[in-house]
Amino acid sequence: MIEQRSLNSVFKTFEPYRAQADEPYMSSGQVKHFRDILLSWRQQLMEEVDRTVTHMKGGATQFPDPADRATQEEEFSLELRTRDRERKLIRKIDSTIDRLDQGDYGYCDSCGVEIGIRRLEARPTANQCVDCKTIDELKERQITG
């Protein structure tokens, strides 16, 4: 949920990639397009982390009413959980940038087929094609019930 919400705001500044008719998959233009998306997304998440730290330092007040204290603690707890998910997402973005650098980005980890520009624009950290991801999700549902 966090990934999609923050990704939506990143995409407000990006236009979908328009490939040339004879352009090879993961050309330098495409790699630059995805690098820009990933770096912008990462920067936005880091700014959120900074805002959280500032908010928690400045917002920590000792309320005399136990209910007010409990509400504040719950708000901080939710915020910290959100930031923890974002921290994991930042690691995933960094890993994806490494894949870009190594030339592995855009290809399915399971079958090696091209993931596709539109899927990568929808989820820049995707490492599986739609078919392999669907199979993995079906297997997971069978295991977990």
Side-chain angles (χ1 to χ4, degrees):
M1 180 163 77
I2 290 168
E3 183 173 341
Q4 196 59 43
R5 181 188 50 155
S6 62
L7 184 56
N8 287 338
S9 59
V10 168
F11 275 122
K12 289 178 185 175
T13 61
F14 286 96
E15 291 290 321
Y17 189 80
R18 300 196 194 302
Q20 304 299 320
D22 58 346
E23 184 177 6
Y25 185 68
M26 282 299 125
S27 66
S28 60
Q30 293 171 10
V31 168
K32 181 185 179 330
H33 174 71
F34 288 109
R35 183 180 308 280
D36 291 345
I37 289 172
L38 290 162
L39 290 173
S40 177
W41 192 12
R42 186 182 191 288
Q43 179 62 34
Q44 183 181 28
L45 290 169
M46 294 300 290
E47 289 170 5
E48 284 292 318
V49 168
D50 291 343
R51 275 194 286 275
T52 297
V53 170
T54 303
H55 170 72
M56 291 185 83
K57 283 182 181 176
T61 307
Q62 288 296 332
F63 292 107
D65 181 34
D68 289 339
R69 280 195 309 269
T71 299
Q72 182 184 41
E73 284 182 29
E74 184 63 24
E75 288 173 2
F76 283 174
S77 176
L78 287 170
E79 202 162 339
L80 288 172
R81 259 186 277 158
T82 300
R83 295 305 159 243
D84 186 52
R85 282 189 225 116
E86 288 176 345
R87 181 183 50 79
K88 291 175 185 172
L89 180 55
I90 289 169
R91 273 191 274 164
K92 191 171 185 179
I93 291 169
D94 288 341
S95 171
T96 302
I97 291 170
D98 288 343
R99 288 178 57 122
L100 262 172
D101 293 339
Q102 296 166 5
D104 295 334
Y105 182 72
Y107 297 93
C108 180
D109 285 350
S110 300
C111 69
V113 73
E114 296 174 356
I115 293 174
I117 301 296
R118 297 301 164 238
R119 172 158 167 70
L120 291 171
E121 284 182 330
R123 183 169 296 272
T125 57
N127 58 359
Q128 287 184 308
C129 66
V130 171
D131 293 338
C132 290
K133 184 65 175 174
T134 301
I135 291 169
D136 278 358
E137 288 175 356
L138 287 171
K139 287 179 183 176
E140 185 178 326
R141 275 192 221 128
Q142 287 175 346
I143 291 170
T144 60

